Amino acid sequence: MAKTASKAAKKAAAKKAAKKPAAVKKQAPAKKRPAEKKPASGGDKQRFTLYGSMTSGPTYTVGLMLSLCRHPFSYIHVNLREGQHRLPDYMVKNRYGQVPTLRDGQTFLVQSAAILEYLAESLGKFEGRTAHERQRIREWLFWQWDKLALPILRLRARARGFRQFGDEVRVMYDTEAKTALAVLEHELARSEWVVGRRPTIADVGVYGVIRYAAEASIDLSPYPHVAAWKKRFETQPGFGTPEQILPMESRLL
Ligand SMILES: N[C@@H](CCC(=O)N[C@@H](CS)C(=O)NCC(=O)O)C(=O)O
């Protein structure tokens, strides 16, 4: 009996051992893959498609950045007058229903300042070299939309007949634009470029607005450092005017 019992016990133990899962090797936590660095320029012609309008300042800013980076791009004309920016197939690319939108592979990017940051980082050009520089650049990009772009682009839109408002509002925007220009003048009196010692996306973003000052009937001569910086910016390789950079019609590469 005892013999049988011990035999049964042995059998049960063997069964248990067979059931026991093999020791699982502890796996190291999956390492986060570094973001893939895509080619900085040249060959990959099909990488970027810019959706925009020739008359749009923010579209120009993105096209200008690509041109300064010497990166070719396809272009899809979005007809704002016909309301193409509000059509469902465009709204899935740009939730704000605005131009520009930049397609990079399967990703659609919106808001010109955010696109500038994205391009600087992924192409490795016109970016801040230190955390401090990147922070300063971001400050200028936020300021530029808050204080500089709004009055200048609204005045330009009025001059072109895209927006209607009376003289009281025109004077308000004019005053706001001049206040912002005085801030920029003060900065550029101390520094050749908006941030640091070389052009960055802060310059590209600010230039994309200053370009339209004349169309907004704003004279830059009271701001000599801004005027000199504008000229300096225009001598960079890859620089082009909106007419040189943005086609009237769609262009697929
Ligand atoms: N903050 C936006 C501004 C874009 C913007 O204002 N786009 C205008 C054309 S210049 C537009 O799409 N307007 C049509 C609308 O807002 O309905 C950016 O930087 O991308």
Side-chain angles (χ1 to χ4, degrees):
M1 179 79 183
K3 208 174 179 186
T4 321
S6 105
K7 217 178 179 183
K10 267 189 192 165
K11 214 174 173 186
K15 212 172 170 186
K16 205 174 167 192
K19 264 195 181 166
K20 205 176 167 190
V24 179
K25 251 194 182 173
K26 214 176 177 190
Q27 274 187 340
K31 265 192 192 162
K32 222 179 164 192
R33 272 202 200 164
E36 233 163 74
K37 276 250 171 186
K38 295 181 180 161
S41 66
D44 194 3
K45 283 200 300 193
Q46 276 140 20
R47 178 174 172 184
F48 294 119
T49 301
L50 176 60
Y51 293 73
S53 161
M54 225 274 236
T55 55
S56 151
T59 303
Y60 170 57
T61 300
V62 175
L64 175 61
M65 174 69 176
L66 287 165
S67 179
L68 290 166
C69 293
R70 303 304 190 113
H71 208 300
F73 59 94
S74 292
Y75 179 78
I76 304 285
H77 173 62
V78 180
N79 192 323
L80 299 178
R81 279 183 192 269
E82 287 179 8
Q84 284 178 353
H85 56 304
R86 297 272 175 213
L87 295 178
D89 74 326
Y90 184 74
M91 295 285 293
V92 294
K93 300 176 182 77
N94 186 321
R95 65 186 72 82
Y96 307 111
Q98 291 186 309
V99 291
T101 298
L102 184 72
R103 183 184 66 75
D104 178 7
Q106 302 303 312
T107 309
F108 289 94
L109 303 143
V110 300
Q111 291 295 337
S112 58
I115 298 173
L116 288 185
E117 281 202 328
Y118 176 88
L119 288 174
E121 204 175 299
S122 58
L123 299 178
K125 295 190 178 171
F126 298 97
E127 82 281 36
R129 291 204 175 135
T130 61
H132 176 67
E133 258 187 28
R134 287 191 287 277
Q135 180 60 24
R136 290 260 316 275
I137 289 170
R138 201 168 296 125
E139 287 170 12
W140 279 101
L141 291 174
F142 274 89
W143 171 85
Q144 172 241 296
W145 271 107
D146 184 26
K147 294 291 186 188
L148 186 72
L150 195 95
I152 293 183
L153 297 183
R154 292 266 156 93
L155 288 169
R156 172 186 178 241
R158 182 184 193 256
R160 294 188 65 123
F162 298 154
R163 269 183 190 262
Q164 280 81 39
F165 48 80
D167 261 0
E168 206 178 314
V169 178
R170 183 189 59 77
V171 170
M172 179 190 78
Y173 282 143
D174 194 66
T175 308
E176 285 182 13
K178 287 173 179 161
T179 305
L181 279 165
V183 172
L184 188 60
E185 175 69 8
H186 182 257
E187 194 68 18
L188 290 170
R190 308 183 304 166
S191 168
E192 229 183 313
W193 301 102
V194 175
V195 174
R197 296 187 175 174
R198 60 192 178 86
T200 66
I201 49 170
D203 298 275
V204 181
V206 172
Y207 182 87
V209 175
I210 294 294
R211 168 90 212 166
Y212 298 102
E215 282 187 46
S217 300
I218 292 172
D219 175 18
L220 289 183
S221 56
Y223 313 97
H225 292 98
V226 174
W229 161 86
K230 180 173 178 285
K231 278 201 177 137
R232 197 155 53 239
F233 186 93
E234 290 166 355
T235 62
Q236 292 180 89
F239 173 82
T241 63
E243 296 73 22
Q244 289 164 338
I245 289 176
L246 301 176
M248 297 284 283
E249 302 288 334
S250 297
R251 167 192 76 195
L252 293 180
L253 295 182

